[in-house]
Amino acid sequence: MTQATRGVIYIHSAPAALCPHVEWAVGGVLGTSVGLAWTPQPAQVQTLRTEYSWVGPSGTAASIASALRGWNHLRFEVTEEPTASSEGARFSYTPDLGVFHAVTGLHGDIMIPEDRLKAAVVKAALGETTLMLEVDKLLGKPWDDELETFRHAGDGAAVRWLHQVV
């Protein structure tokens, strides 16, 4: 039996014509009709933003990210809280970068598997890249850098920190 968890979908920017399709896709994953409260996204003209808290079985964030990935002009993040039997997750998407996925621990920290760290060290040792650049990719820094403007552009709305790489 899959344990229930919860999470949040942050649509950072979507053209108005895409919004009903986003609602349909998210509702299809959650198995219920979803009506999102869209507000203007000041960081990009003629786009809207929203967020939605969801409850569902473990793995729901991955299903939502899969349903939304690949849509041009859409930027989003989906989080999933860990349960007693599963780790948490964070998915970020931008049209230029594609999907970033990270496993998150109890306190929201990104947990990087040792094989991925070893691969980063080897690539750096071979001179293909730097270790700092590879660690930044493992932590999702390119996605954070691109999404940061959209996160803060609420024009007076309360800011909710999702992830900040120091």
Side-chain angles (χ1 to χ4, degrees):
M1 179 170 94
T2 304
Q3 193 167 10
T5 186
R6 61 186 172 179
V8 181
I9 305 161
Y10 302 90
I11 305 295
H12 294 297
S13 69
L18 195 55
C19 295
H21 301 283
V22 169
E23 292 180 11
W24 178 81
V26 171
V29 170
L30 297 176
T32 186
S33 179
V34 174
L36 302 176
W38 297 94
T39 59
Q41 172 52 276
Q44 187 176 24
V45 178
Q46 296 183 337
T47 64
L48 301 170
R49 62 185 291 158
T50 192
E51 66 181 65
Y52 183 78
S53 296
W54 57 267
V55 175
S58 293
T60 297
S63 297
I64 293 169
S66 292
L68 299 178
R69 72 179 175 88
W71 293 7
N72 284 337
H73 311 295
L74 182 66
R75 288 174 181 81
F76 68 85
E77 292 180 275
V78 184
T79 63
E80 180 172 305
E81 293 184 6
T83 68
S85 60
S86 67
E87 301 293 348
R90 174 181 159 220
F91 294 86
S92 301
Y93 177 83
T94 73
D96 293 335
L97 298 172
V99 174
F100 168 75
H101 168 250
V103 173
T104 57
L106 182 61
H107 301 290
D109 297 321
I110 291 176
M111 301 171 55
I112 303 170
E114 72 179 83
D115 288 345
R116 293 186 70 193
L117 280 172
K118 288 176 182 177
V121 169
V122 168
K123 283 176 83 173
L126 293 172
E128 297 175 18
T129 185
T130 66
L131 186 56
M132 182 60 85
L133 183 60
E134 289 303 302
V135 169
D136 281 350
K137 285 194 249 179
L138 291 172
L139 293 172
K141 186 175 183 323
W143 287 263
D144 284 337
D145 290 346
E146 187 169 327
L147 292 171
E148 200 63 25
T149 300
F150 294 91
R151 292 175 183 151
H152 292 289
D155 211 22
V159 174
R160 180 181 292 176
W161 288 96
L162 303 179
H163 176 75
Q164 181 178 15
V165 178
V166 179

